[in-house]
Amino acid sequence: MNNSWRNNSTRAIFSDMLFASGTFKNVYAGCYIEGTRAGQRCVSKEFKTPSDYEVYYFEEEMNIIRCTQKIIDDWHNANLTNKRVVLNTPEIWEQFYTGRHRLVEPMVENFVKWNSNTGWVNTAWGGWSQSMQALSHFSYHSSGGQFLLCDLQGGSYQTG
């Protein structure tokens, strides 16, 4: 079973208005206009710091995502819950008119923040809340203490 949600598109248009902002990245809403996701919503994430526009930072982000994907796949292979966790996996796209890079990924609907990197935990979702906290705990032990998945956030869908 594939535990990754990917672009599967080749082109999108984005608003110039800020959609959301995190600690390190700004997010812009858009819509895929070519490929199998044509007509579906997507987002573009750009680093806030000008030095972070370098391809190196985007490649490091993709390395983190690959590591996260392995942990999620191991989580599912361990059969610890019936809750399916899928990683939203971006691609690095280059803006043709500026040459700047951005991370592009499908828009997450029904957004929920499950936990933070400061210890806060969302307990409002019952079994889903417990499963997401268990995934954070699992990540630490399965990686031999090398990694801890936290600041987990995403969507809650009928399909997982």
Side-chain angles (χ1 to χ4, degrees):
M1 178 180 293
N2 186 359
N3 302 310
S4 178
W5 202 28
R6 299 181 177 275
N7 278 326
N8 297 330
S9 288
T10 54
R11 225 169 128 214
I13 54 173
F14 298 95
S15 170
D16 291 334
M17 293 183 59
L18 191 62
F19 176 73
S21 185
T23 303
F24 299 105
K25 295 181 208 93
N26 287 324
V27 181
Y28 299 88
C31 183
Y32 291 115
I33 58 174
E34 287 183 9
T36 58
R37 288 195 181 275
Q40 295 179 18
R41 293 172 43 156
C42 59
V43 295
S44 165
K45 296 179 178 179
E46 298 177 353
F47 287 102
K48 291 180 176 181
T49 308
S51 64
D52 292 344
Y53 298 156
E54 297 175 31
V55 174
Y56 166 81
Y57 292 97
F58 288 89
E59 290 171 352
E60 281 301 304
E61 183 84 6
M62 296 307 291
N63 286 334
I64 292 167
I65 289 166
R66 281 187 283 279
C67 178
T68 301
Q69 186 67 66
K70 181 182 180 333
I71 292 169
I72 289 172
D73 291 343
D74 289 349
W75 164 255
H76 285 291
N77 291 336
N79 291 316
L80 300 171
T81 181
N82 63 351
K83 307 290 188 210
R84 183 164 178 239
V85 176
V86 178
L87 181 64
N88 204 5
T89 305
E91 292 178 350
I92 302 170
W93 286 12
E94 184 177 336
Q95 292 175 294
F96 64 88
Y97 54 91
T98 66
R100 286 180 47 187
H101 293 85
R102 55 173 55 178
L103 297 167
V104 177
E105 61 190 53
M107 170 79 77
V108 173
E109 306 290 345
N110 307 315
F111 183 83
V112 178
K113 187 167 177 84
W114 301 105
N115 62 24
S116 72
N117 56 9
T118 61
W120 174 84
V121 172
N122 180 343
T123 59
W125 286 74
W128 267 110
S129 295
Q130 292 171 352
S131 289
M132 297 308 285
Q133 304 330 306
L135 174 58
S136 285
H137 183 83
F138 175 87
S139 69
Y140 179 80
H141 290 285
S142 71
S143 69
Q146 294 288 313
F147 303 105
L148 174 68
L149 296 184
C150 61
D151 197 22
L152 298 180
Q153 47 195 295
S156 179
Y157 296 86
Q158 292 293 333
T159 58

